[in-house]
Every structure is written in structure tokens, then in C-alpha cells.
């Protein structure tokens, strides 16, 4: 019974979010079980381009460190905001969501050549949070019950939290920068005088991922509860 319940809940998670979070959890489990080591996963341009270890272009986005507070914190934010994006502004347009993943990952990898970061998964999570926060500007957030602010400030609050924990803010700044570039090119520039949409989802992605019909039995997470926990819980202003 428990397995059936878990399976049903798991299959209700939209496909892109399900695939990415599952890959992250399985990668971490494999490291914990010592089936692989982080040295086989991290971002190393020399090993990628000179020794053709191209899997590192992907695996460096899948490992968030050993199981602990930092891992759980990142997984919660990754799952919640990735899912809300997929069920919100990208609903029925999975190809555009996949394209955002590819565009963000490519841009982050290019920037990663110039910064000393060996794993880019946390920066990718911040990118997702940034895009969601800019597309939901009137949602009020509650961070650990201490701060109340509107959604666009969330990435900066997370950066401040990282600073308090003694972590490098380069990760957060990279995620914010890539998220802002995507948001500007997709949501801002096309609506400016003389602007146009520069990011075009390839037709092959549309053919693979887009579904033409709605599923009447699908029950998405309410966007009125961004974050889902005390540090990310919010409600729309005036609600």
C-alpha cells in the first residue's frame, strides 16, 4: 500500500522536475554508497575537452554534496521551484522548460570556465528560483519566520543566507546572473519597443515534449504556497 501511494505521488510530479530531482538523488546515493566518487563528477574543463570526459558537463549539475543540511536545503528548493515553474508558466510547454534547462546549463557552463566552481547544481537551483520569483512578483514570502518580503527578493535573501553560513556567494551570483539573462531575453526584451523574441525553442524539442491536451485528473501544487516550508512559505498580497 505504501509503495502504491509513493508511486502515485511520484508519477504526479511533472516529468522534467521528476527526472532532474531523481537524477540528483540517485547520484548522491551512488556517492554515499561509494559506487562513484565526486572526483568522477566534478566540472573540469581540461578533462572534458582534452580527455573527452563529456559526462562531466551533466554530472556536475547532479551532485550537491553529501547527505546533510546543505543537500536537503538544496533539494527542497530545487524540487519546489522547479515544479512550480513547470506547473505554472511552463505548463503544457514542457519543450520551453527543457530549452530553458539547456540554455541555462550552457550559459552557466561557459561562465563556469572563468570561475573556480566544480559543481554548478546549486547555481542552477538559484537560476530556477530567480526566474520563478520574477514571474511571480506579487507573492509574499516568509523566510524562517524572520523576514517577510516579495518574491523578487528571494534570490538575494538566499545569497545573504549563504553568506551567513560562510559559503561563497559566487554560486548565488552565477545563478542570479544566468536567471536574469534568461528572464530578460524571454520576458523583458520581446516586450520593448523594437524588441523581439531571441530565444526560440527548437521544433524537435516541441515534437518530443509538448502535449496538446490537458489532463483533467492532474492536481498541481498551489502557487499560493511557494517554498512549501517556513523558510519559503508565502501568499499572494491581499490574500
Amino acid at each position: 500500500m505504501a509503495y502504491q501511494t509513493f508511486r502515485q505521488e511520484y508519477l504526479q510530479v511533472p516529468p522534467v522536475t521528476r527526472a532532474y530531482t531523481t537524477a540528483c538523488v540517485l547520484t548522491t546515493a551512488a556517492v554515499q554508497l561509494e559506487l562513484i566518487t565526486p572526483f568522477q563528477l566534478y566540472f573540469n574543463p581540461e578533462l572534458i575537452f582534452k580527455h573527452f570526459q563529456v559526462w562531466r558537463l551533466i554530472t556536475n549539475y547532479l551532485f550537491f554534496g553529501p547527505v546533510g543540511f546543505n543537500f536537503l536545503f538544496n533539494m527542497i528548493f530545487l524540487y519546489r521551484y522547479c515544479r512550480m515553474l513547470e506547473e505554472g508558466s511552463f505548463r503544457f510547454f514542457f519543450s520551453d522548460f527543457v530549452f530553458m534547462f539547456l540554455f541555462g546549463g550552457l550559459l552557466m557552463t561557459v561562465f563556469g570556465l572563468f570561475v573556480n566552481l566544480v559543481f554548478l547544481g546549486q547555481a542552477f537551483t538559484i537560476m530556477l528560483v530567480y526566474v520563478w520569483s520574477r514571474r511571480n512578483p506579487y507573492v509574499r514570502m516568509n523566510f524562517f519566520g524572520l523576514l517577510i518580503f516579495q518574491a523578487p527578493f528571494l534570490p538575494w535573501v538566499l545569497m545573504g543566507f549563504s553568506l551567513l553560513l560562510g559559503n561563497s556567494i559566487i554560486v548565488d551570483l552565477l545563478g542570479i546572473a544566468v536567471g536574469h539573462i534568461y528572464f530578460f531575453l524571454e520576458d523583458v526584451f520581446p516586450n520593448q519597443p523594437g524588441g523581439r523574441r531571441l530565444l526560440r525553442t527548437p521544433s524537435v524539442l516541441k515534437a518530443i515534449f509538448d502535449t496538446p491536451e490537458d489532463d483533467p485528473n492532474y492536481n498541481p501544487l498551489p502557487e499560493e504556497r511557494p517554498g512549501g516550508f517556513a523558510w519559503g512559505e508565502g501568499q499572494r498580497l491581499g490574500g
Side-chain angles (χ1 to χ4, degrees):
M1 181 64 68
Y3 168 77
Q4 291 296 330
T5 301
F6 172 79
R7 183 175 182 275
Q8 290 176 358
E9 291 294 326
Y10 179 74
L11 293 177
Q12 280 191 347
V13 178
V16 177
T17 302
R18 182 171 66 235
Y20 186 38
T21 53
T22 299
C24 293
V25 171
L26 291 180
T27 300
T28 301
V31 172
Q32 289 293 117
L33 295 173
E34 298 183 352
L35 300 176
I36 55 177
T37 71
F39 296 104
Q40 297 171 288
L41 308 174
Y42 76 99
F43 181 72
N44 185 316
E46 182 176 355
L47 292 177
I48 293 171
F49 298 111
K50 291 186 178 180
H51 297 273
F52 307 106
Q53 297 183 10
V54 293
W55 65 83
R56 294 178 183 271
L57 292 170
I58 298 176
T59 57
N60 81 90
Y61 288 97
L62 303 180
F63 184 65
F64 290 78
V67 175
F69 174 78
N70 188 62
F71 170 77
L72 295 176
F73 188 85
N74 278 284
M75 285 296 98
I76 289 169
F77 270 82
L78 170 62
Y79 170 76
R80 294 292 299 185
Y81 290 95
C82 187
R83 180 170 182 172
M84 284 193 293
L85 273 176
E86 191 169 359
E87 292 180 335
S89 56
F90 290 101
R91 185 164 171 77
F92 308 125
F93 299 98
F94 294 145
S95 62
D96 293 338
F97 196 44
V98 173
F99 183 66
M100 187 191 78
F101 264 58
L102 296 176
F103 174 80
L106 175 62
L107 197 58
M108 207 168 287
T109 298
V110 172
F111 288 160
L113 296 173
F114 304 97
V115 295
N116 187 27
L117 293 176
V118 293
F119 291 102
L120 299 174
Q122 185 175 338
F124 195 83
T125 299
I126 296 296
M127 181 197 77
L128 296 174
V129 171
Y130 184 90
V131 174
W132 177 87
S133 69
R134 294 302 300 269
R135 289 186 170 183
N136 296 269
Y138 302 111
V139 175
R140 186 171 57 188
M141 313 298 296
N142 183 336
F143 191 81
F144 282 118
L146 300 175
L147 296 175
I148 297 177
F149 51 90
Q150 289 178 253
F153 292 100
L154 178 59
W156 304 100
V157 171
L158 292 178
M159 185 178 71
F161 185 65
S162 294
L163 190 61
L164 289 175
L165 292 178
N167 299 326
S168 172
I169 62 172
I170 297 298
V171 174
D172 301 85
L173 289 175
L174 178 59
I176 289 172
V178 174
H180 182 73
I181 291 172
Y182 176 84
F183 175 76
F184 178 81
L185 294 177
E186 185 71 8
D187 293 32
V188 178
F189 183 69
N191 297 315
Q192 301 300 311
R196 59 191 179 90
R197 189 179 182 188
L198 299 178
L199 299 180
R200 299 282 183 176
T201 303
S203 57
V204 62
L205 293 181
K206 290 182 176 292
I208 294 173
F209 292 101
D210 285 349
T211 55
E213 297 181 358
D214 191 2
D215 180 1
N217 297 318
Y218 193 78
N219 184 26
L221 292 177
E223 286 196 2
E224 288 76 16
R225 296 185 59 211
F229 294 85
W231 53 80
E233 189 171 347
Q235 63 184 39
R236 294 192 180 276
L237 290 175

